[in-house]
Amino acid sequence: MTVAQGVRRAFDGREVLAGVDLTIREGEFVALLGRSGSGKSTLLRAMAGLDPEIGGQLLVPRRRSVVFQDPRLQPWKRVLDNVVIGLPRQGARERGRAALAEVGLAAHERAWPATLSGGEAQRAALARALVREPELLLLDEPFGALDALTRIRMHALLRELCAKHRPAVLLVTHDVDEAILLADRVLVLTDGRIGLAREVRLEGARQRTDPAFAELRGDLLAELGVADGS
């Protein structure tokens, strides 16, 4: 269980997080939407343990991993060495190879990061996160820099891997459609607090042609202050 209670954070006197309460159950996939500057990534960084100035209470699993929009691969290390960085040496390379196979990069273990496409680099970053078997997987707009077709493939891969490994997941995204397609629950961060929460319980809601998808999309866009012109 991942729990945030009364989480606060201010920058230069401006309160970005104003008492956020959030619970993510084991194996649950939560997507967090919000306007630019709303504090989505600030909350994610707090849960990752990357912000010592955070206020409030956070109860997060010890085993947690983060995937950022930038894959952040070290260019002087080959792909496999990037995946296993920081792991205990015994058995690390075997685990790393298994993780690369899961994301479809088994043939790229000795490649240099500079030779990978954007999608391949993000697959390597995902392998690096999952090889640690995290109880909490934090995703900070990991597909934001990818083209539309690659994003679709990455969505399918992420759903498959999360179903297999069953971590709790927090996805920060600007993309309302992405949130609905991937998450069990979609939240909107407004004025430093969770302003709207919607469950995505019906499989039909994940199909863009289903009326449930359009209804949920409209609700979320309205909360974000955007008219749904689709």
Side-chain angles (χ1 to χ4, degrees):
M1 185 82 73
T2 298
V3 180
Q5 291 184 329
V7 173
R8 296 181 177 273
R9 184 66 161 99
F11 297 95
D12 298 325
R14 184 176 72 90
E15 195 169 46
V16 175
L17 300 178
V20 171
D21 295 321
L22 171 63
T23 298
I24 306 175
R25 301 181 293 270
E26 293 180 11
E28 184 184 24
F29 196 128
V30 172
L32 183 63
L33 295 164
R35 301 179 187 180
S36 295
S38 63
K40 303 184 303 299
S41 293
T42 300
L43 179 60
L44 182 141
R45 287 177 58 83
M47 289 186 163
L50 300 176
D51 188 350
E53 303 299 321
I54 206 75
Q57 295 184 336
L58 282 170
L59 177 63
V60 296
R62 175 174 296 182
R63 294 203 320 271
R64 55 192 187 270
S65 297
V66 187
V67 180
F68 298 97
Q69 183 172 334
D70 182 337
R72 302 193 180 190
L73 302 178
Q74 295 187 354
W76 56 87
K77 290 182 179 289
R78 297 183 188 272
V79 168
L80 178 58
D81 294 321
N82 265 284
V83 168
V84 302
I85 191 168
L87 290 180
R89 295 186 66 177
Q90 185 173 4
R93 298 183 74 80
E94 289 75 13
R95 290 169 59 190
R97 290 188 179 100
L100 284 172
E102 282 189 323
V103 300
L105 290 180
H108 292 74
E109 68 170 76
R110 289 193 52 77
W112 296 105
T115 67
L116 301 180
S117 68
E120 288 170 343
Q122 204 61 308
R123 284 171 182 261
L126 188 57
R128 182 180 56 197
L130 290 175
V131 76
R132 287 155 174 77
E133 290 294 337
E135 297 170 273
L136 175 62
L137 178 62
L138 300 163
L139 305 168
D140 194 0
E141 299 191 64
F143 312 132
L146 303 179
D147 64 81
L149 290 177
T150 303
R151 284 177 72 124
I152 291 171
R153 296 188 187 101
M154 290 298 292
H155 288 166
L157 176 63
L158 181 60
R159 284 197 299 267
E160 176 186 330
L161 292 174
C162 287
K164 178 179 179 180
H165 292 270
R166 299 297 296 163
V169 181
L170 178 64
L171 167 69
V172 163
T173 179
H174 283 99
D175 190 328
V176 171
D177 288 15
E178 179 174 84
I180 299 171
L181 290 168
L182 291 174
D184 303 312
R185 186 158 49 108
V186 182
L187 312 177
V188 179
L189 189 62
T190 306
D191 297 327
R193 293 184 175 87
I194 303 298
L196 181 73
R198 288 289 185 270
E199 301 280 346
V200 187
R201 293 191 178 278
L202 299 176
E203 189 62 30
R206 299 190 189 278
Q207 308 300 320
R208 295 176 193 269
T209 56
D210 193 282
F213 185 99
E215 181 180 356
L216 180 54
R217 186 175 190 271
D219 288 348
L220 294 168
L221 286 171
E223 181 70 13
L224 292 165
V226 179
D228 186 1
S230 63

